[in-house]
Amino acid sequence: MSAPVWNNKVVKWVDDRLPVFTMLHHSAYEYPTPKNLSYMWNFGSLAGFVLVTMILTGIFLVMNYTPHADMAFWSVERIMRDVNYGWLIRYIHMNGASMFFICVYIHIFRGLYYGSYKAPREVLWWIGILILLAMMATAFMGYVLPWGQMSFWGATVITNLFSAFPIIGDPLVTWLWGGFSVDNPTLNRFFSLHYLMPFVILGLVVLHVWALHSVRSNNPTGVEIKTPQDAIPFHPYYTIKDLFGMGVFLIFFMFFVFFAPDFFGEPDNYIPANPLVTPPHIVPEWYFLPFYAILRSIDFTVFGIPAKLLGVLAMFASIIVLFVIPWLDTSKVRSSKFRPVYKWFFLILFIDCFVLGYCGKKAPDDYFMGIEGLKVIVVGQLATLYYFAHFLVVMPIVGKLERPKPLPTSISESVLKEGANA
């Protein structure tokens, strides 16, 4: 790549001493991107936009928040009522968490469908899963900070899960709490970590983008860039496409901020935390519900291992299994567009995750969607079984037995063929 020539004297003076503009030129303007990327590829940049929004709104919220068990709830109420535009900053931050997970979950499902985890993108995929884990930790600790009923009892239930581990479990829980129950030390350390973790996520995102620029973007065909005709510069083509997608996304985002700010929340969290009154039904935020359903679905012992420990292990395994997907998928074809059998199993997985979310929201003894005789716990167990079977059984077997459709010889050929069919 040749060094760009800068006409602006100030830009040239700075770039000669710190080549930041040259770096941006190479990583944006000259970065070759497949010419056939769809709007499904917008969600990575949208997730980055929401991350920056969350960091900025979080910094302003911290200026008025008090991390103390006696004052946390009321400091949030003061932000909402007395701080200029505090209500807006908090609602953007509150709903921004849900928007972040929506973008990242769509980003992950897109990667699963189009095989973006396959060689040479394994490390890129791993960093993405690490970002998801860091997001989960950050979101959980952030949910505790308003110190309402659901915050307090959610923290109590989730941290108590670590007591399932033999020998180290109880000391680990005491260490997490900073005492013998969820109290002021717990709130303080969660606040500190919640403020730190977004910058860890930001660092992981930088690594993620770096890895992406090393191995290039995947595309809907799964065929690599072979000639210059297969690619176009990222700027201006995809910057304009991303800006349009951001405009549409902001309409969706701002609808919840201004018209339904508590849609994703729990009414019980508007009651101050009370250690003496347990809410009738403790549920985590919606983005944790599928994992919570997997945790609850194990209500039996195996070889003397208690159900609680098995549930915790299953919940962690549901994320750890994502790290080994590049080796579980035995198909030589990346994109599910050319896999007539597997694409239906992928659709079942997609529906299965929604079923798990529904089961996580409901009480175990409730009837599934009002169907008498069909308990939520039973459906949750079946959905959990398919979740693991999809990765551990379906992927390896279908990849070996399936006969994929013929792949286009190049990205350009697929674009020309789609244009002709249109």
Side-chain angles (χ1 to χ4, degrees), residues 33-59:
T33 315
K35 62 166 66 174
N36 62 336
L37 298 189
S38 68
Y39 278 104
M40 292 301 292
W41 266 258
N42 279 46
F43 287 94
S45 59
L46 288 176
F49 166 75
V50 178
L51 173 61
V52 172
T53 304
M54 293 293 286
I55 289 172
L56 292 175
T57 54
I59 288 170

Side-chain angles (χ1 to χ4, degrees), residues 333 336-340 343 402-408:
V333 174
S336 295
K337 278 180 72 174
F338 303 99
R339 301 183 62 186
K343 68 165 56 174
E402 182 182 46
R403 183 175 294 176
K405 295 177 183 177
L407 291 173

Side-chain angles (χ1 to χ4, degrees), residues 41 107-129 208 212 215-219 222 224 320-337 339 342-343 345-346 349 390-392 394-396 398-399 402:
W41 266 258
H107 194 58
I108 290 171
F109 274 108
R110 189 268 296 163
L112 287 170
Y113 185 79
Y114 291 111
S116 298
Y117 48 82
K118 284 178 172 283
R121 299 181 177 86
E122 299 95 333
V123 173
L124 176 67
W125 176 258
W126 287 350
I127 297 169
I129 302 304
H208 194 61
L212 175 68
V215 296
R216 309 297 186 201
S217 296
N218 188 24
N219 64 87
E224 296 289 351
I320 292 169
V321 73
L322 299 176
F323 283 100
V324 292
I325 284 176
W327 296 275
L328 292 173
D329 187 352
T330 55
S331 175
K332 300 236 181 336
V333 174
R334 279 201 189 98
S335 176
S336 295
K337 278 180 72 174
R339 301 183 62 186
Y342 177 75
K343 68 165 56 174
F345 283 105
F346 176 84
L349 174 70
H390 179 89
F391 298 117
L392 301 175
V394 172
M395 269 189 162
V398 173
E402 182 182 46

Side-chain angles (χ1 to χ4, degrees), residues 289-333:
L289 289 176
F291 305 102
Y292 188 57
I294 290 171
L295 167 75
R296 282 195 326 192
S297 68
I298 313 296
D299 63 348
F300 48 84
T301 59
V302 177
F303 302 121
I305 303 172
K308 184 178 178 180
L309 178 57
L310 287 172
V312 172
L313 293 174
M315 182 179 69
F316 286 127
S318 66
I319 300 171
I320 292 169
V321 73
L322 299 176
F323 283 100
V324 292
I325 284 176
W327 296 275
L328 292 173
D329 187 352
T330 55
S331 175
K332 300 236 181 336
V333 174

Side-chain angles (χ1 to χ4, degrees), residues 10-32:
V10 175
V11 170
K12 185 178 184 307
W13 186 89
V14 172
D15 200 67
D16 287 343
R17 289 150 181 82
L18 182 67
V20 63
F21 296 105
T22 297
M23 184 193 72
L24 290 171
H25 182 84
H26 290 327
S27 61
Y29 185 76
E30 286 187 349
Y31 175 58

Side-chain angles (χ1 to χ4, degrees), residues 134-148:
M135 283 173 59
M136 288 176 155
T138 308
F140 167 64
M141 289 183 286
Y143 190 56
V144 175
L145 300 187
W147 213 239

